[in-house]
Amino acid sequence: MELKVEQVAIPEKIAFNYEELKLELSDKVKMYETLVYTDDQIKSAKADRADLNRLKKALNDERIRREKEYMQPFNAFKAQISEIIGIIDKPVALIDKQIKEHEEQQRQEKKKKIDDFFDSQIPYMPVWLHISMIWDEKWLNASVSMKSIQEEIGARIESVRSDLATLSELPEFSFEAIETYKTTLDLNKSIAEGHRLSEMQKRKAEQERIKAGQEK
């Protein structure tokens, strides 16, 4: 199937007394720009306006008539092309639907494999870690291999274990820092939270010391 369009003769240029009208009207415009009608000449002014509007209407009417003539064969061609495209769109939509259903099925099957692999790593990770916390939507792309996904999941789990070991060694507020980490998986934020609580405790102790001294 292919489109075969026969050679089309481009419509000839429409000739009219363009230069003559343009020159004559340009001269009149200059005259009207400086012309001031007196009260006695209002009737003449109305006649001039009517003449100009009459010429304007004649020009516009002829343009519309010629435009319809020129566009008639194109509009017929356009309607036929649109009809053929409409016929094509029906099987395209049906095929597209099947392709999308197949792709979605493939994605779901791949997701199941990823979930199963993650579950197999449960003995090596904290109980609170869920796959949704490290999920990357690109894993479902056909171009991403299961091997690379497994490696990435393994690396993320190892990173979490290493971060937890670091946080557990904090001298103060280790528990609170780990709780923050459980919701952010951000080591720096978690350490910063531990430091913030530590500083707050120091300020509180200092305030209590000052208050006790004042009471004495």
Side-chain angles (χ1 to χ4, degrees):
M1 292 182 291
E2 63 174 319
L3 176 64
K4 298 177 181 179
V5 180
E6 296 180 6
Q7 190 64 31
V8 179
I10 303 299
E12 296 181 5
K13 179 181 177 181
I14 301 175
F16 69 104
N17 58 334
Y18 168 72
E19 293 296 342
E20 178 187 345
L21 282 173
K22 182 180 177 182
L23 182 61
E24 184 178 346
L25 286 169
S26 296
D27 290 340
K28 280 199 171 186
V29 166
K30 292 178 182 177
M31 178 190 73
Y32 286 127
E33 284 176 346
T34 57
L35 180 62
V36 178
Y37 292 98
T38 64
D39 292 344
D40 296 335
Q41 293 174 319
I42 291 302
K43 186 176 180 180
S44 177
K46 290 181 178 180
D48 288 344
R49 183 182 64 182
D51 288 342
L52 291 169
N53 281 333
R54 201 162 25 246
L55 176 59
K56 176 182 173 181
K57 184 177 184 305
L59 289 166
N60 207 39
D61 288 349
E62 185 62 17
R63 176 190 63 79
I64 293 171
R65 186 178 74 83
R66 294 290 184 176
E67 184 176 356
K68 287 180 179 178
E69 287 180 355
Y70 268 59
M71 291 301 294
Q72 196 169 21
F74 173 79
N75 287 335
F77 169 75
K78 180 181 177 182
Q80 290 174 333
I81 290 293
S82 296
E83 182 182 1
I84 297 296
I85 288 174
I87 295 172
I88 293 171
D89 282 343
K90 291 179 181 178
V92 167
L94 292 172
I95 295 170
D96 186 59
K97 182 174 180 290
Q98 292 187 50
I99 291 172
K100 287 181 177 178
E101 287 175 352
H102 173 75
E103 289 176 345
E104 181 58 27
Q105 182 182 345
Q106 295 290 99
R107 286 167 64 87
Q108 291 303 319
E109 289 176 359
K110 192 173 186 182
K111 186 177 186 304
K112 177 69 167 54
K113 290 179 181 178
I114 296 170
D115 288 338
D116 290 345
F117 175 77
F118 183 84
D119 290 343
S120 73
Q121 304 302 303
I122 286 177
Y124 312 106
M125 61 187 179
V127 294
W128 51 263
L129 184 63
H130 190 269
I131 192 168
S132 61
M133 301 172 72
I134 63 170
W135 182 263
D136 191 332
E137 197 64 23
K138 77 169 190 289
W139 289 346
L140 296 181
N141 294 342
S143 59
V144 182
S145 69
M146 274 300 300
K147 183 175 183 295
S148 67
I149 295 169
Q150 291 171 355
E151 289 174 352
E152 190 170 344
I153 289 174
R156 293 297 300 275
I157 291 173
E158 184 57 36
S159 175
V160 168
R161 293 177 61 185
S162 175
D163 291 347
L164 288 174
T166 300
L167 293 172
S168 65
E169 293 176 357
L170 291 177
E172 296 178 300
F173 296 100
S174 172
F175 174 82
E176 288 80 2
I178 290 174
E179 289 300 302
T180 299
Y181 185 79
K182 288 180 181 180
T183 59
T184 64
L185 291 187
D186 188 314
L187 178 63
N188 291 331
K189 282 185 179 179
S190 303
I191 292 174
E193 177 64 10
H195 288 166
R196 184 185 72 82
L197 293 173
S198 178
E199 290 299 315
M200 184 183 295
Q201 186 182 57
K202 290 177 182 177
R203 290 198 301 272
K204 182 180 178 181
E206 179 65 14
Q207 288 293 327
E208 289 176 349
R209 185 187 65 77
I210 293 172
K211 182 178 180 182
Q214 291 173 342
E215 289 175 351
K216 286 182 181 180

